[in-house]
Amino acid sequence: MKIVAKKKLWKYLFWLGPFLIAVGLTVGLVSEQWGLIPLVFLITGIVISGLGIIWQSYETNWWKRRSTQAGTNAVVATLAVLAILGLINFLGTRYHLRSDLTESQLFTLAPQSRELVSVLPQPVKVWVFDINQNPQDRELLENYQRQSSKFKYEYIDPQARPGLAEKFGVKDYGEVYLESGDKRQLVQTVNQNERLSEIRLTSRLQQLTNSTTAKVYLLQGHGERQLSAGKDAISQAVQGLGDKNFTTSPLNLGETSKVPEDASVVIVAGPKRGLFEGEVKALQEYLNRGGNLLLMIDPNTDPKLNSLLQEWGVRLDNRLAVDVSGESVVGLGPAAPLVTEYGQHPITKDFGNGNSFYPIARPLEITSVPGVQSTPLLRTKPYPSSWAESDLQSEKLEFNADKDLKGPLTLGVALTRKQAAKSASTPQPAPTPSPLPSPTTQSKASPTPPASPAPTPSQTSSSQTATESRLVVLGNSSFATDGLFQQQLNGDVFLNSVTWLSQQDQQPLSIRPKEPKNRRITLTTTQGNLLILSSLLVLPLIGFAIAVMIWWKRR
């Protein structure tokens, strides 16, 4: 009797284990502090419960029963499934795998945005001062946040936190601000008609994290494109440069006779009259000291830049680029070449087979020059889709084998040239333009052009450091004018060219807006009625007839 009573006592004592576990969990959850007291209860309860299970199985040979083994297998399988599910959820939390099946990748960040956010030098936070949290805006911000742990965002109700709203100078609902350290910048104001823009957010992010500001000068005085809003102006292009943290200023070389020292890029956009010889020399000297130049030259003009272009192996063709392949697509006629083929270059690397068009353009002829590396950027389609038309007065454009040039035509080219920059300890007069021949070109017997004499040994001494000049020549300037600048890839060609020329290669290039494809079907009244009749009457009758036939055969 005593042995039986002792066994019952141990059996009751083991129920103390679950009680202590419950006490420990209760104390920890209520106090929200897992200190010494709840841990003692939990550990003691787990030990007692474990001993109870071991003792009970020993007394009843529980482990040897077939039902116990089957139950153990079921428990192990269940725990394994739970462990696998937990591992999958853990990996899903740490590593996001998303697939954007939309044709234009509407829900995927552009490569430029991903590259910029992934290398953020310091934490950045987006503040959205709005009551409503738009799902589309949240999705965009979450896409940014997935690229880097340094990117955060938060929605704020200005009425609930007036101090924070006053700190940012919030004036209305929907204002979006970007903050990094002690820097703050307004991105845009969102509303029902205007959602948060990836283009603006990435541009502002670049401005906020980039401490340097590149200076761009636009040449004036020869009938170039107007910088302020107006007919055939390039005000949108100038604004786009400002959005990318460039500072723009007009430049009249007839007044200064020298390109300013702080010029990162000089743009010559569609001059209608020729430059003075002194102005051309000023541009040559600027290139010789490591400058960067963008020339956009239209047909039927002579800017008097042949001496400069000859040094780089570029010749402006006086014929008109004709492309009949894009006439029905662009709607601007055969004199507006549609380009879908781009060179392998940082300016055009993300263009794919996208469209850009150039109303009234001239072809370029590229020849090899020692020390100059050239890459065609824009190429028209092969003949008979495109050719260079010599008869500019004829209303009917037809290919003439004697005068015209068969496509494909080069409408844009990017060039680089190494320059020898002298050290401050050995100042010498600036030499005439002298591209340094590379080792491969030195071994060839091709002579150096007269305008570019080979450098003397004193110019190539060890006290010199090599700098690079960059030149982009486009046979058209109207593609960047207001209205056309935002069409297709036109703006990207301009902004990417300036970004590459500025030699700030760490900056992301231009991001083109993503637009959903219009997949709606427009039906006439007759087509709509036919669709209703077929779906509500014809198809049900066919199904009913098939059912009757099956029933009749099985009858």
Side-chain angles (χ1 to χ4, degrees):
M1 293 294 295
K2 291 183 178 180
I3 296 176
V4 173
K6 189 175 182 180
K7 289 182 178 180
K8 289 184 177 180
L9 178 62
W10 278 106
K11 183 178 180 180
Y12 291 135
L13 286 175
F14 286 134
W15 282 104
L16 185 62
F19 173 76
L20 294 176
I21 293 175
V23 171
L25 291 174
T26 303
V27 173
L29 293 174
V30 172
S31 64
E32 296 183 353
Q33 294 181 357
W34 297 92
L36 180 62
I37 295 177
L39 289 178
V40 168
F41 278 110
L42 284 173
I43 294 173
T44 304
I46 292 172
V47 171
I48 293 176
S49 298
L51 292 175
I53 293 173
I54 295 173
W55 179 81
Q56 186 68 24
S57 63
Y58 175 77
E59 288 291 328
T60 60
N61 293 324
W62 186 67
W63 289 107
K64 297 181 179 181
R65 296 178 185 177
R66 182 176 298 178
S67 60
T68 302
Q69 294 175 357
T72 303
N73 292 335
V75 171
V76 172
T78 302
L79 292 176
V81 170
L82 292 176
I84 293 172
L85 292 176
L87 179 61
I88 293 174
N89 279 275
F90 171 76
L91 294 177
T93 304
R94 293 288 300 272
Y95 307 99
H96 298 281
L97 179 61
R98 304 170 71 250
S99 179
D100 188 352
L101 301 181
T102 58
E103 182 177 357
S104 55
Q105 299 293 291
L106 293 173
F107 305 104
T108 303
L109 290 181
Q112 300 91 331
S113 299
R114 297 198 299 268
E115 179 182 354
L116 177 64
V117 178
S118 62
V119 294
L120 285 175
Q122 56 188 358
V124 173
K125 188 169 185 178
V126 175
W127 299 87
V128 184
F129 291 90
D130 202 354
I131 300 176
N132 302 317
Q133 300 186 17
N134 183 272
Q136 180 180 339
D137 295 347
R138 283 188 62 92
E139 177 67 20
L140 177 61
L141 292 170
E142 288 175 0
N143 281 342
Y144 276 92
Q145 189 169 266
R146 292 187 185 101
Q147 309 304 318
S148 173
S149 59
K150 295 181 180 180
F151 186 96
K152 304 293 182 183
Y153 74 92
E154 184 176 352
Y155 277 83
I156 298 296
D157 181 358
Q159 298 293 337
R161 300 180 65 179
L164 187 62
E166 183 179 357
K167 173 184 175 182
F168 281 86
V170 177
K171 299 178 181 179
D172 196 4
Y173 284 101
E175 292 187 3
V176 181
Y177 284 85
L178 197 60
E179 183 181 33
S180 178
D182 56 351
K183 299 179 181 178
R184 302 182 189 91
Q185 191 173 48
L186 175 66
V187 178
Q188 69 178 105
T189 301
V190 296
N191 50 53
Q192 293 181 351
N193 299 322
E194 183 178 2
R195 301 313 329 157
L196 186 59
S197 167
E198 178 188 353
I199 299 176
R200 294 188 180 182
L201 184 54
T202 297
S203 297
R204 297 296 184 270
L205 187 61
Q206 177 184 339
Q207 294 178 19
L208 200 65
T209 56
N210 185 18
S211 58
T212 61
T213 301
K215 190 68 174 289
V216 176
Y217 286 92
L218 295 102
L219 192 67
Q220 297 288 283
H222 317 89
E224 289 87 355
R225 299 286 180 179
Q226 183 177 323
L227 305 185
S228 57
K231 183 180 179 181
D232 297 331
I234 57 171
S235 63
Q236 292 178 342
V238 174
Q239 181 181 354
L241 291 175
D243 291 340
K244 292 182 68 62
N245 208 29
F246 289 103
T247 302
T248 58
S249 297
L251 173 65
N252 192 327
L253 287 176
E255 298 176 352
T256 62
S257 72
K258 183 181 179 181
V259 177
E261 294 292 337
D262 63 346
S264 295
V265 182
V266 173
I267 300 176
V268 182
K272 294 182 173 60
R273 298 181 295 275
L275 278 67
F276 293 117
E277 183 179 353
E279 294 177 306
V280 177
K281 288 184 177 180
L283 293 177
Q284 290 175 320
E285 292 174 358
Y286 170 65
L287 289 172
N288 291 337
R289 67 174 191 256
N292 309 285
L293 183 62
L294 171 59
L295 299 177
M296 301 189 296
I297 311 299
D298 296 309
N300 295 325
T301 60
D302 183 12
K304 306 297 183 182
L305 292 169
N306 292 337
S307 60
L308 183 150
L309 293 173
Q310 182 181 5
E311 299 176 10
W312 293 76
V314 180
R315 189 181 73 85
L316 300 174
D317 197 312
N318 292 324
R319 289 170 285 199
L320 178 69
V322 174
D323 181 8
V324 296
S325 65
E327 182 176 359
S328 59
V329 179
V330 180
L332 296 178
L338 179 68
V339 173
T340 59
E341 181 181 344
Y342 305 93
Q344 296 296 322
H345 193 271
I347 294 176
T348 54
K349 66 177 182 179
D350 296 322
F351 285 4
N353 294 324
N355 299 323
S356 60
F357 55 95
Y358 306 86
I360 315 298
R362 70 194 308 167
L364 306 175
E365 181 182 330
I366 313 300
T367 57
S368 177
V369 173
V372 175
Q373 181 179 359
S374 62
T375 303
L377 297 177
L378 313 171
R379 301 272 290 182
T380 65
K381 295 177 178 62
Y383 178 82
S385 295
S386 71
W387 68 88
E389 176 64 44
S390 58
D391 189 359
L392 306 183
Q393 305 301 324
S394 176
E395 296 181 359
K396 187 176 182 180
L397 299 176
E398 294 180 343
F399 178 75
N400 188 326
D402 297 333
K403 300 179 181 179
D404 300 338
L405 177 66
K406 291 183 178 180
L409 308 173
T410 299
L411 303 183
V413 62
L415 308 104
T416 59
R417 185 176 71 182
K418 296 295 183 181
Q419 301 290 344
K422 299 176 180 59
S423 63
S425 59
T426 57
Q428 297 181 18
T432 55
S434 53
L436 288 176
S438 61
T440 56
T441 57
Q442 286 179 345
S443 61
K444 298 181 181 179
S446 56
T448 306
S452 305
T456 62
S458 61
Q459 293 174 339
T460 57
S461 62
S462 59
S463 62
Q464 298 171 344
T465 57
T467 61
E468 183 178 82
S469 298
R470 295 182 178 183
L471 173 67
V472 172
V473 184
L474 305 175
N476 176 261
S477 67
S478 59
F479 80 97
T481 56
D482 295 353
L484 299 182
F485 177 79
Q486 296 179 335
Q487 298 295 322
Q488 301 296 325
L489 296 175
N490 286 17
D492 294 30
V493 173
F494 177 82
L495 294 176
N496 285 4
S497 297
V498 177
T499 302
W500 178 76
L501 285 169
S502 68
Q503 304 196 30
Q504 301 184 56
D505 296 337
Q506 72 278 8
Q507 294 189 13
L509 300 180
S510 175
I511 302 173
R512 56 184 178 273
K514 301 174 184 177
E515 298 178 356
K517 297 291 184 180
N518 186 359
R519 299 298 184 190
R520 291 175 294 181
I521 300 176
T522 303
L523 301 177
T524 62
T525 303
T526 303
Q527 292 172 331
N529 293 334
L530 181 61
L531 182 62
I532 294 174
L533 183 65
S534 62
S535 59
L536 298 182
L537 183 61
V538 176
L539 292 179
L541 287 177
I542 293 175
F544 181 73
I546 294 174
V548 171
M549 291 174 60
I550 295 174
W551 171 79
W552 182 262
K553 287 185 177 182
R554 294 182 176 180
R555 183 174 57 89

